[in-house]
Amino acid sequence: MTSEATEPAGALTLHNALVDDEARTLADDVREGLTAEFKELPPKHLYDTRGAELFEQICELPEYYPTRTERAILERVAGELIAQTGAAELVELGSGSATKTRLLLDAMRSAGTLESFVAVDVTESFVRDSAAELLREYPGLRVHGLIADFERHLDQLPPPRGPRLLAFLGGTIGNFAPAARRRFLRSVCGLLGPDDHLLLGTDLVKDRATLEAAYDDSAGVTAEFNRNILHVLNRELGADFDPAAFEHVARFDTEHEWIEMRLRSREAQQVKLAALELTVAFEAGEDIRTEISAKFTRERVAAELTAAGLVLAAWHTDANGWFALSLARRAG
Ligand SMILES: C[S@@+](CC[C@H](N)C(=O)[O-])C[C@H]1O[C@@H](n2cnc3c(N)ncnc32)[C@H](O)[C@@H]1O
């Protein structure tokens, strides 16, 4: 089912851009990532249904300040953002459970502009569940769920239904390596018309202890989330990883100003991936990098937006300066 311009108010449409395609990218990513000299797996593969549940738990942890800090900023400024943008359609990339999204939808409803919401996420359960819930909670809202990779499928967004606010929250932009981030921001710029805006959530540089605790909580939920990628490989690629044989590591890299999550092999071992007809050898202490999470400053956000053809229109942060929401539009 795909979205049609004639879709009535209160309708839900779903489109899966990943069919057939996703298994191939997992296989390609894993072969490339685990045969490289420095082993690495893209973080999007952390998010199967179990990974999505674990991420939800992470968002509630005392150490994981980004979610509650971004929510507090949104509570304060959602009305102002909607007044400034006049948005009728909210498109959320990497929407997850779309919890903070309600603050924007509420502000749009109060302003009388709310028409439609588009959820884009690689995790099917997130898209299906949040789309159905939002339809119930906002009678008359048009909801489109797009199960897709935001690095590859942005051309599959439905046509806009009015001024668009494209939200990319949660600091997810930090998961891109710098070159991929530049490509992504340029493609987002290409999506924006003169009446559209980008709302970007970025985690900010701060002290190492606060940062590292957020990615290595005392309850071990982030460690389980990190190891979940090995369960994904076991299930999807017939691999025989023993997740307990890998230690969760989270370190702030001060040179790059990003957190790295890694899985460190506790011993020398060999792992077979049957579907790839591949055996991978690990030395004791050897790492697989599973996620980077870049931390930003206002200057860096503004410079990267400018380089992508965008201009920073508003910057909102919390009293500690821990997290920021940037509103941007096309330059010129
Ligand atoms: C850090 S979570 C943020 C979730 C939510 N936006 C929030 O602020 O709490 C990242 C989200 O992006 C999704 N995601 C990760 N990589 C993706 C990709 N390449 N394409 C689409 N969604 C992706 C994940 O499934 C997850 O829901």
Side-chain angles (χ1 to χ4, degrees), residues 18 74 78 85 104-105 110 112 115 181 200 205 213 293 321:
L18 298 178
L74 269 176
T85 60
L104 290 166
L105 294 175
S110 298
E115 285 280 331
R181 193 162 70 227
L200 182 65
V205 173
S293 182

Side-chain angles (χ1 to χ4, degrees), residues 29-42 241 246 260-263 265 269 271 279-283 286-291:
D29 289 347
V30 171
R31 182 183 295 284
E32 194 180 314
L34 294 188
T35 56
E37 197 174 334
F38 175 70
K39 296 182 171 63
E40 182 157 34
L41 294 168
F241 279 99
F246 289 82
E260 293 206 356
M261 286 208 318
R262 297 179 175 210
L263 289 167
S265 181
Q269 54 180 315
V271 176
T279 300
V280 180
F282 290 89
E283 290 171 18
E286 187 175 352
D287 289 347
I288 313 173
R289 185 163 69 183
T290 50
E291 183 178 290

Side-chain angles (χ1 to χ4, degrees), residues 26 135 146 175 217 223 230 238 242 263:
L26 176 69
L135 200 65
L146 179 58
N175 297 148
D217 62 279
L230 303 181
D242 171 9
L263 289 167

Side-chain angles (χ1 to χ4, degrees), residues 44 47 55 92 94 96 100 121-123 126 148-150 169-170 172:
K44 71 175 173 188
Y47 293 91
F55 180 73
E92 189 174 7
K100 286 167 286 184
D121 204 287
V122 78
T123 308
F126 264 153
D149 184 336
F150 50 53
L169 304 178
T172 309

Side-chain angles (χ1 to χ4, degrees), residues 250-268:
R251 291 281 176 273
F252 185 52
D253 175 333
T254 45
E255 186 195 333
H256 294 103
E257 297 190 314
W258 65 42
I259 283 277
E260 293 206 356
M261 286 208 318
R262 297 179 175 210
L263 289 167
R264 180 162 298 162
S265 181
R266 296 186 195 275
E267 60 207 32

Side-chain angles (χ1 to χ4, degrees), residues 66-103:
T67 306
R68 61 173 181 275
T69 309
E70 187 180 42
R71 185 187 302 126
I73 301 171
L74 269 176
E75 278 166 1
R76 206 182 70 229
V77 305
E80 186 182 334
L81 290 169
I82 298 310
Q84 202 172 347
T85 60
E89 177 168 273
L90 180 63
V91 176
E92 189 174 7
L93 305 179
S95 46
S97 60
T99 312
K100 286 167 286 184
T101 313
R102 269 90 167 165
L103 297 166

